[in-house]
Amino acid sequence: MTLLLLLLPLVAALAVLLSGNKMASRVALLFTVAEFGLTVYAYTIFKQQGPEAFVFFHDWISSPKISINLGVDGLSFVMIGLTNFLLPLIVLSGFNREYSNAKTYFSLMLLMQFALIGVFMAYDGLLYYIFWELALLPIYFIALGWGGKNRVPVTLKFFIYTLAGSLLMLFGFIMLYYYNPNASFNITDLYNNPVCSCNQGWLFWMFFLAFAIKIPIVPFHTWQADTYSEAPTQGTMLLSGIMLKMGTYSLIRWLLPILPAGIAEWGPLAITLCVIGIVYASIIAIMQNDIKKLFAYSSVAHVGLIAAGIFALNIEGLQGSVVQMIAHGVNVVGLFFCADIIINRTQTANISSLGGIRNIAPRFNTLFMIVVIASVALPLTNGFIGEFLLLFGVFKYNTWLSVFAGLTIILGAVYMLRMFQNTMLGNTNENTQHFTDLNWSETLVLGIIAFTIVVMGLYPKPIFELVQPSLDIILNKAIAK
Amino acid sequence: MENTLQAVPQNWYLVLSTLLFCIGIMGVLFRRNAIIILMCIELMLNSVNLLLVSFSAYSGNSDGQVFVFFIMVVAAAEVAVGLALMMSIYRNAASTDINVLNKLKW
Amino acid sequence: MNDNMIQDTLLVTPALLVPLLPLIGFLINGLFGKFLPKSVTGWIAALAILGSFICSVTLFNGLNSTSSLNIDIFNWIAFSNINITFGFLIDPLTITMLLVVTGIGFLIHLYSIGYMHDDEGFTRFFTYLNLFIFFMLLLVMGNNYLVMFIGWEGVGLCSYLLIGFWFKNESYNNAAKKAFVMNRIGDLGFLLGMFFMLFYFGSIDYSTVANQAQTLAPNSALLITITMLLFVGAMGKSAQLPLFTWLPDAMAGPTPVSALIHAATMVTAGIYMIVRSNILFSLAPTTLTFILIVGVATSVFAAVIGLLQNDIKKVLAYSTVSQLGLMFAALGLGAFSSGMFHVVTHAFFKALLFLGAGSVIHALHGEQDIRKMGGLGKYIKVTYITFLLASLAISGFPFLSGFFSKDEILAHAFEQNKTIWVILSISSFITAFYMFRLVFLTFFGNFRGTEETKKHIHESPITMTLPLIVLCILAVVGGLLGLPEVFHVQHAFSTYLSSVTEGSAQYLVHHEKVSHATEIALMSFAGIGAIVVILFAYNKYVKQNALPADDVELTGLNKVISNKFYVDEIYETVFVKPITVLSDLFLVLVDKLIIDLAVNATAWIVATTGKTMRLMQTGNTGFYVFAMVIGMMVLLIIRLFI
């Protein structure tokens, strides 16, 4: 089951590559939907038998001891669920555009899916690292091959930047291996044999930098806005929707339980950085005129809050971060899809030259509105559950930090409504007058997203229940002295 | 175990081969004609051969001589390839001066 | 809070139907509205609210004033030791609000069918209106603060949508955005208040919080913090100083919206919330004093601004702010049920005033400036009479609804602090003056608009006048709900609410009740004062035909008042400008120049090093060999001698 879940996208990637340019998108959709179906089936198994049903272990290299150690617990499952839920939508969002060499394009997406699932499943440090790096390759080629005008330097910067972070992480893993009495990369070995706290401080930075660049936490975020605006929309969706969550997921999975003393030492600094980043990015977003960059900065603010909740080291923060990872993944894909629709039809990303789209595209307006209110965290949307718990987690950690982080509620409303007003409301102008309302595939994508937003906001309990056992274990390790 | 090689003291072999080796190095360093450099490399190889043979004789162990044969084979191959390269370089550059061949730089 | 909770299954269904019907109405209109004819969509929406109203009446009949009904629907946010349910609490306070919201809501839906008849966004309007009612009902029905918060933010969203209903107009959109953002400032306070409760009390259920709070020492720092934060939320929602500037701007929305959201229901949510947490607040006298000060200040401040406004809706808006201030003053005095009583009567007459104003605007095809009205009493009789009665009610004319509710508050003020009483009395006289300035300028004298407009003046259709008449009756007789004890009857309203407010009574400082004679004296003073002020206004605006000066002619204090004390401008300079500057600064200076420069500098260092080092690759074979030999010699020397 585990292997099937992991390898189906890889098979799909090959199948898409062989299917030819015309059929590529449909084959990709077929496979991603099948994968999603498989995930739903896996959920029923998971409900009955628990994580034990998903353990897969096979020796790979005897020295250094690296094994193919895969597993799915609640946390992994939620992340895999997010990946497999978003992929069909992302593929579907590419239906209305003509892409040169479409088979490669969609094949790379599926390869990305494979790598992402691998990241969320890997229970062996080095295997995890391999998947982590593997995930970088497809997105690099997607951005490089199908990006905007300025794509070459921007994607290079993105690639080198994240690669530099990963290198530190690789070094960190090697040192963990070296310090480990069992000489192993296995996650349970790493969990159960904490490194001497004298070494945890700098090891913390090895991992934290890698994750901070990926997430990104201010001040390691400067690759992001440019990459988002240059990458093709599907690439941006993959990046912001799922790939950023690799960073936050890894904080929970690999950083908290393995280096508790490092967290104790540097956690306060990290959470302060996160909270500063929230306000900082929100303020920048207020005056952004490029719609994709605006969403990029809003994304920095949101994931900053997620990371802050994780470093708050309490169950509310962790639960909130998981819920918000899902919520943000769904919402940001929706936002970037809306941005893509606007940019594609009006040929401009500058919000001050837009306006009045609502007059001619009411259906688009409604769905866009729902995504916007979810991202400003209005109650009964998924964004609220996450932000409420995250802010409460930070509150338990430190009252003043949460007051400061809470400013995101106000600032978020300011920049989102400004964007919405400038693009959608007012009078139609020459850029927007030929705007056509959504076609069926766009309506489907946004409709599914809007539906998910409300359902998750109303009934988040299944997610809480799914991840609670994993988070309990991780939290126990993280705060054990 | 007396033989003709041992008629000469071992130090003399050492001195001779060192001298030959140094001549070879100097030749490699200071001559600019590629063919002469090639010959100087041969000289260095052979100085080592000499040393190996002499040690082999003095210690009564044939390992050194085995090495010598290896080196001779390699040297022969090297000369064959090297001279072929020289030929093609000469055809292109009409010279075997190594300072002319400085295209492979930054 | 209430010991005899009953699980009356018969009442669960109507209780669930109350919010469900507007939701269904919203879904039908929202999803299928464009396939339905106009007449159907409007009536679907109105009937949904009527259904809710009937269910509310059922609840009112089914539950007596000492019992309450708690319905837990499902666990919303629940894990480890956090358990927040999605549930409803129906008690007298809730029912009061339910009746007001659904009752007035229905009348306003009815009115809107006529008022919005020619609008292209007719269906959309009713969709939003139903959604608003749904959220408002969640707000008042929730059994914990988080469910209240859903409604709290939800009504904010609907308010945003409805203020910006005519979304082609940029200034309307700005007003909508302003309302949302200002509300959000308050919401942050509310949210933090909830965090404190959740953290220190382990729950945000009303009952648990109230019980836990009573174990703390009165006026402890924690209680003050919580109540202050909650009050910040109330300030935003109920437009108190300093977060009031959004409400006058919110008049950009269609008039029924102003009546429903920005007068009768949503803006009173802050008062509802404080009454709901009355035990918490009464345990924190410091906060109560603060509320009192804010309430009194807002009341006077807004009333003074109202004196010189010329837009018919703006006058009413400032009057709303002023009246809300009065309600908060009542809460600050610990007179929770009096505050609620004024909420109810205010809902009647203020909704009526707005609807009447809407009718005037309708008759004049969109004209809102009172300087271009006048003499309308002759043409639109129903509107005129109802508007006049509502103005009398708000001015505190004897024996109308506003008279009783206002006097109750003034009596409480008199008991506790004479200064407060004086200020509030002045504020209510100012109210009487500007209301009648409005009435006289609009309905008396001669018409000052163009002949063209004059020809088209017409009375509104029945769907619009019927709500006016019903509300007018309520505004006139509504005071009977709370006849003071002077008249030797039980105060019906406060008795009904007593199960909610009695818990806090023991924590409030008790002042000696004023004697009946004093109370009658106070009432007469207020009543006669109101009449005198009205006569003064009559003298000025009808006898002398005084007209408000044009804005440019105003000087000195008048100019300052007419420009609303420049509060908007101050906020613009103090908050908005710096943030935009900061935003640019962050982007250009910090992001691009400092952080990104550091990143790029790293890359530059690597690249430059590479560029320099490659110069060693001269391509000169001799040099390579030489370097090799030197290197080997160095290694040899190191090996041998070091």
Side-chain angles (χ1 to χ4, degrees):
Chain A
M1 188 73 213
T2 319
L3 272 190
L4 194 60
L5 215 51
L6 176 66
L7 294 178
L8 186 64
L10 194 62
V11 175
L14 285 175
V16 170
L17 209 53
L18 295 174
S19 68
N21 284 331
K22 277 192 182 153
M23 292 293 290
S25 56
R26 281 177 216 160
V27 175
L29 183 64
L30 188 75
F31 271 104
T32 48
V33 170
E35 173 79 3
F36 180 66
L38 196 65
T39 317
V40 174
Y41 176 62
Y43 178 70
T44 58
I45 295 182
F46 191 89
K47 271 294 204 190
Q48 285 165 11
Q49 304 174 22
E52 289 77 20
F54 290 87
V55 175
F56 177 87
F57 189 89
H58 198 275
D59 286 326
W60 187 20
I61 300 170
S62 52
S63 178
K65 205 167 87 191
I66 303 168
S67 47
I68 300 182
N69 186 358
L70 301 171
V72 178
D73 67 350
L75 180 61
S76 303
F77 198 94
V78 168
M79 300 311 293
I80 293 168
L82 173 73
T83 313
N84 292 344
F85 170 73
L86 287 180
L87 248 289
L89 298 179
I90 293 174
V91 169
L92 195 57
S93 75
F95 261 46
N96 297 299
R97 299 276 291 274
E98 291 295 324
Y99 294 100
S100 61
N101 204 354
K103 60 175 199 279
T104 322
Y105 189 60
F106 288 101
S107 175
L108 283 172
M109 280 189 217
L110 288 161
L111 188 62
M112 177 100 183
Q113 184 181 19
F114 163 71
L116 289 166
I117 295 176
V119 167
F120 298 135
M121 275 184 174
Y123 276 7
D124 180 279
L126 211 76
L127 189 69
Y128 157 82
Y129 174 77
I130 290 168
F131 279 122
W132 171 278
E133 293 292 43
L134 188 60
L136 188 59
L137 291 175
I139 192 70
Y140 173 66
F141 286 111
I142 288 175
L144 190 65
W146 290 267
K149 285 191 207 78
N150 203 17
R151 61 183 185 270
V152 179
V154 166
T155 45
L156 185 69
K157 182 175 178 180
F158 156 65
F159 190 80
I160 302 285
Y161 206 156
T162 44
L163 201 63
S166 318
L167 209 61
L168 293 177
M169 177 170 81
L170 178 62
F171 185 67
F173 268 123
I174 292 170
M175 292 319 285
L176 281 180
Y177 180 88
Y178 178 73
Y179 289 133
N180 193 285
N182 295 353
S184 132
F185 286 114
N186 192 320
I187 196 164
T188 38
D189 283 334
L190 296 178
Y191 275 20
N192 293 332
N193 303 294
V195 184
C196 157
S197 45
C198 51
N199 286 320
Q200 289 201 15
W202 61 269
L203 274 172
F204 170 86
W205 284 100
M206 297 284 117
F207 285 90
F208 177 70
L209 281 176
F211 302 148
I213 291 170
K214 195 72 122 199
I215 289 175
I217 293 170
V218 172
F220 306 104
H221 67 284
T222 46
W223 60 269
Q224 197 201 27
D226 287 336
T227 311
Y228 279 16
S229 61
E230 288 301 325
T233 305
Q234 281 71 31
T236 314
M237 289 172 172
L238 283 169
L239 259 175
S240 59
I242 315 172
M243 203 164 167
L244 301 192
K245 301 339 174 261
M246 274 167 53
T248 41
Y249 164 84
S250 305
L251 282 181
I252 301 178
R253 170 77 75 207
W254 296 96
L255 192 58
L256 291 195
I258 294 180
L259 299 169
I263 304 270
E265 192 179 348
W266 295 107
L269 179 65
I271 196 171
T272 317
L273 269 185
C274 296
V275 171
I276 291 174
I278 297 168
V279 178
Y280 174 79
S282 303
I283 289 183
I284 289 187
I286 289 176
M287 292 305 284
Q288 275 295 326
N289 272 330
D290 181 308
I291 187 166
K292 281 178 121 183
K293 287 191 177 170
L294 191 152
F295 291 157
Y297 279 107
S298 92
S299 186
V300 174
H302 281 122
V303 290
L305 186 55
I306 295 177
I310 293 171
F311 282 114
L313 297 180
N314 49 46
I315 191 68
E316 290 83 4
L318 284 179
Q319 281 281 16
S321 70
V322 173
V323 173
Q324 184 71 348
M325 276 190 238
I326 313 290
H328 180 256
V330 173
N331 299 348
V332 87
V333 164
L335 284 177
F336 276 112
F337 188 42
C338 291
D340 178 56
I341 290 169
I342 291 172
I343 294 170
N344 200 16
R345 290 177 196 197
T346 62
Q347 308 302 331
T348 174
N350 188 343
I351 57 169
S352 44
S353 58
L354 294 166
I357 293 175
R358 184 176 184 177
N359 306 339
I360 37 186
R363 201 180 333 160
F364 177 54
N365 171 68
T366 310
L367 291 170
F368 192 13
M369 185 77 212
I370 293 175
V371 181
V372 165
I373 62 170
S375 92
V376 301
L378 219 76
L380 292 191
T381 65
N382 55 9
F384 175 70
I385 310 280
E387 282 202 3
F388 176 77
L389 289 173
L390 285 169
L391 286 172
F392 183 55
V394 177
F395 176 86
K396 277 179 90 168
Y397 183 82
N398 182 311
T399 310
W400 288 108
L401 270 182
S402 80
V403 174
F404 201 58
L407 291 177
T408 179
I409 285 190
I410 301 165
L411 296 172
V414 175
Y415 62 73
M416 276 298 174
L417 293 185
R418 172 174 170 271
M419 180 280 303
F420 192 75
Q421 181 180 342
N422 279 353
T423 52
M424 303 301 289
L425 311 180
N427 284 313
T428 316
N429 60 24
E430 69 272 23
N431 284 325
T432 51
Q433 60 191 346
H434 301 298
F435 200 94
T436 44
D437 209 344
L438 302 180
N439 63 25
W440 69 270
S441 67
E442 290 162 342
T443 314
L444 190 62
V445 172
L446 285 177
I448 291 174
I449 287 175
F451 182 72
T452 317
I453 283 171
V454 176
V455 169
M456 252 187 82
L458 200 58
Y459 202 63
K461 214 171 140 204
I463 297 175
F464 294 144
E465 282 171 358
L466 207 53
V467 295
Q468 183 73 33
S470 333
L471 293 184
D472 278 339
I473 295 169
I474 288 168
L475 195 61
N476 274 334
K477 295 275 174 205
I479 51 183
K481 279 285 154 67
Chain B
M1 272 257 286
E2 287 286 322
N3 66 25
T4 41
L5 276 169
Q6 288 173 344
V8 184
Q10 200 178 7
N11 275 356
W12 292 21
Y13 289 107
L14 273 173
V15 170
L16 176 63
S17 68
T18 309
L19 271 174
L20 284 173
F21 193 81
C22 288
I23 293 169
I25 283 187
M26 291 303 157
V28 170
L29 285 181
F30 300 118
R31 295 305 294 260
R32 292 195 294 184
N33 189 318
I35 294 176
I36 291 178
I37 289 175
L38 217 56
M39 286 161 67
C40 287
I41 291 170
E42 289 301 309
L43 196 61
M44 285 155 71
L45 287 172
N46 282 325
S47 75
V48 173
N49 281 351
L50 179 63
L51 203 59
L52 280 169
V53 169
S54 74
F55 274 110
S56 174
Y58 273 97
S59 60
N61 188 333
S62 60
D63 283 1
Q65 296 178 38
V66 174
F67 270 114
V68 170
F69 281 116
F70 262 107
I71 293 173
M72 281 161 69
V73 172
V74 170
E78 183 217 312
V79 168
V81 176
L83 284 178
L85 281 170
M86 284 308 125
M87 289 295 286
S88 71
I89 286 169
Y90 185 75
R91 257 183 236 139
N92 279 311
S95 154
T96 50
D97 187 336
I98 54 162
N99 284 351
V100 177
L101 307 171
N102 63 353
K103 294 279 182 295
L104 208 64
K105 63 178 174 185
W106 66 79
Chain C
M1 184 177 285
N2 206 315
D3 295 321
N4 41 357
M5 296 228 177
I6 55 162
Q7 283 293 340
D8 192 337
T9 43
L10 278 176
L11 288 175
V12 171
T13 319
L16 292 180
L17 278 179
V18 170
L20 213 53
L21 286 171
L23 183 66
I24 292 168
F26 159 71
L27 289 175
I28 292 176
N29 279 339
L31 294 174
F32 312 112
K34 62 182 163 196
F35 308 115
L36 299 170
K38 256 188 178 182
S39 48
V40 177
T41 54
W43 282 103
I44 286 177
L47 287 177
I49 310 303
L50 182 64
S52 277
F53 178 65
I54 292 167
C55 292
S56 308
V57 173
T58 318
L59 290 174
F60 174 71
N61 285 332
L63 283 174
N64 56 35
S65 67
T66 52
S67 51
S68 66
L69 175 63
N70 187 54
I71 310 168
D72 284 337
I73 301 170
F74 59 85
N75 287 340
W76 188 27
I77 300 178
F79 56 84
S80 85
N81 49 13
I82 288 205
N83 188 3
I84 300 170
T85 54
F86 192 98
F88 294 151
L89 171 72
I90 317 286
D91 67 354
L93 179 61
T94 304
I95 290 175
T96 312
M97 288 301 284
L98 285 184
L99 290 172
V100 170
V101 171
T102 54
I104 294 183
F106 169 66
L107 291 175
I108 289 173
H109 272 71
L110 204 61
Y111 178 90
S112 306
I113 293 177
Y115 188 82
M116 298 299 286
H117 193 261
D118 299 323
D119 199 281
E120 54 177 340
F122 185 83
T123 307
R124 194 162 51 86
F125 181 80
F126 282 98
T127 313
Y128 292 165
L129 223 50
N130 267 193
L131 186 65
F132 167 77
I133 298 272
F134 168 69
F135 277 124
M136 192 67 210
L137 293 172
L138 279 190
L139 197 163
V140 296
M141 290 177 76
N143 69 357
N144 61 52
Y145 284 95
L146 204 63
V147 177
M148 188 201 267
F149 192 70
I150 301 177
W152 191 269
E153 290 245 282
V155 290
L157 170 72
C158 296
S159 158
Y160 168 77
L161 291 171
L162 284 163
I163 295 169
F165 181 73
W166 289 306
F167 51 80
K168 288 179 192 171
N169 184 321
E170 277 306 310
S171 66
Y172 292 2
N173 290 330
N174 286 333
K177 189 170 68 181
K178 184 175 176 184
F180 193 83
V181 170
M182 281 212 152
N183 269 302
R184 268 274 159 130
I185 297 172
D187 293 353
L188 178 59
F190 193 155
L191 200 60
L192 289 170
M194 278 198 288
F195 289 160
F196 271 100
M197 290 191 267
L198 196 54
F199 187 55
Y200 290 101
F201 301 152
S203 168
I204 46 176
D205 282 354
Y206 297 142
S207 48
T208 322
V209 168
N211 289 335
Q212 292 275 333
Q214 294 179 58
T215 62
L216 294 171
N219 221 4
S220 63
L222 177 62
L223 283 170
I224 294 179
T225 316
I226 293 175
T227 47
M228 279 290 189
L229 287 168
L230 289 179
F231 180 57
V232 169
M235 275 185 202
K237 189 101 314 183
S238 299
Q240 294 300 293
L241 278 176
L243 298 177
F244 71 100
T245 56
W246 66 270
L247 186 57
D249 285 12
M251 296 302 126
T255 310
V257 171
S258 311
L260 179 63
I261 301 185
H262 305 120
T265 54
M266 184 186 89
V267 289
T268 59
I271 292 128
Y272 166 78
M273 186 250 275
I274 291 176
V275 175
R276 177 55 81 197
S277 353
N278 62 71
I279 294 182
L280 217 54
F281 277 84
S282 56
L283 283 165
T286 314
T287 315
L288 282 184
T289 315
F290 182 69
I291 295 176
L292 179 64
I293 293 167
V294 170
V296 170
T298 309
S299 173
V300 178
F301 191 74
V304 170
I305 296 178
L307 277 177
L308 286 178
Q309 292 299 307
N310 292 325
D311 181 315
I312 184 167
K313 285 179 74 182
K314 285 272 165 73
V315 177
L316 294 177
Y318 280 106
S319 142
T320 307
V321 176
S322 166
Q323 296 294 314
L324 289 168
L326 186 63
M327 295 171 205
F328 275 104
L331 302 182
L333 293 166
F336 297 109
S337 73
S338 311
M340 273 313 285
F341 185 35
H342 198 59
V343 166
V344 175
T345 57
H346 176 255
F348 295 152
F349 56 68
K350 190 48 75 58
L352 175 54
L353 284 170
F354 268 110
L355 295 186
S359 184
V360 169
I361 296 166
H362 190 73
L364 295 176
H365 294 278
E367 183 56 64
Q368 300 197 4
D369 192 331
I370 49 173
R371 285 168 299 190
K372 295 180 183 152
M373 298 178 181
L376 294 178
K378 297 190 279 289
Y379 307 101
I380 42 176
K381 283 239 161 53
V382 181
T383 309
Y384 163 56
I385 294 165
T386 52
F387 197 93
L388 181 67
L389 284 168
S391 300
L392 287 171
I394 194 177
S395 306
F397 191 81
F399 311 116
L400 298 184
S401 60
F403 174 74
F404 291 113
S405 55
K406 209 184 261 187
D407 273 327
E408 205 172 303
I409 297 171
L410 288 174
H412 279 288
F414 190 81
E415 280 168 21
Q416 297 189 16
N417 190 328
K418 304 282 185 295
T419 330
I420 300 288
W421 175 77
V422 171
I423 300 174
L424 287 180
S425 298
I426 292 173
S427 158
S428 78
F429 293 147
I430 297 177
T431 305
F433 181 78
Y434 66 70
M435 280 316 298
F436 273 87
R437 170 177 173 268
L438 183 64
V439 169
F440 293 140
L441 285 173
T442 310
F443 295 102
F444 286 65
N446 295 317
F447 187 66
R448 295 181 293 273
T450 57
E451 282 301 310
E452 182 60 25
T453 341
K454 194 174 175 181
K455 254 182 267 169
H456 291 104
I457 297 175
H458 58 280
E459 183 58 279
S460 306
I462 178 78
T463 49
M464 284 169 73
T465 47
L466 187 68
L468 290 182
I469 294 163
V470 176
L471 280 172
C472 183
I473 296 167
L474 288 171
V476 171
V477 303
L480 301 179
L481 288 174
L483 277 184
E485 285 163 15
V486 182
F487 296 101
H488 304 289
V489 287
Q490 221 185 4
H491 192 299
F493 192 80
S494 69
T495 316
Y496 185 61
L497 283 188
S498 60
S499 66
V500 181
T501 53
E502 69 193 356
S504 63
Q506 49 181 315
Y507 302 110
L508 293 168
V509 184
H510 280 274
H511 299 272
E512 198 162 336
K513 279 248 174 224
V514 287
S515 68
H516 282 185
T518 329
E519 199 170 343
I520 287 172
L522 286 177
M523 285 168 100
S524 330
F525 173 74
I528 292 165
I531 294 170
V532 169
V533 170
I534 292 169
L535 289 175
F536 176 68
Y538 182 78
N539 186 40
K540 183 168 179 197
Y541 291 104
V542 181
K543 283 269 174 63
Q544 301 174 10
N545 259 329
L547 256 188
D550 276 340
D551 299 337
V552 281
E553 294 167 16
L554 292 171
T555 48
L557 189 61
N558 280 349
K559 191 169 179 188
V560 175
I561 294 174
S562 162
N563 283 306
K564 304 141 195 172
F565 292 98
Y566 297 102
V567 176
D568 276 325
E569 287 77 5
I570 293 168
Y571 286 174
E572 182 77 20
T573 0
V574 179
F575 298 108
V576 181
K577 282 271 161 56
I579 283 189
T580 54
V581 172
L582 205 60
S583 176
D584 286 335
L585 193 75
F586 276 176
L587 181 65
V588 178
L589 191 71
V590 184
D591 228 43
K592 288 270 189 299
L593 213 62
I594 298 177
I595 299 177
D596 212 24
L597 198 70
V599 174
N600 291 340
T602 318
W604 182 83
I605 290 168
V606 174
T608 318
T609 319
K611 260 182 201 161
T612 320
M613 297 298 273
R614 75 177 184 178
L615 293 177
M616 287 168 69
Q617 303 290 317
T618 55
N620 192 331
T621 324
F623 175 72
Y624 294 161
V625 177
F626 183 71
M628 190 177 86
V629 170
I630 297 288
M632 282 169 75
M633 281 168 72
V634 168
L635 286 179
L636 203 68
I637 290 165
I638 289 173
R639 184 73 193 83
L640 286 180
F641 300 110
I642 299 168

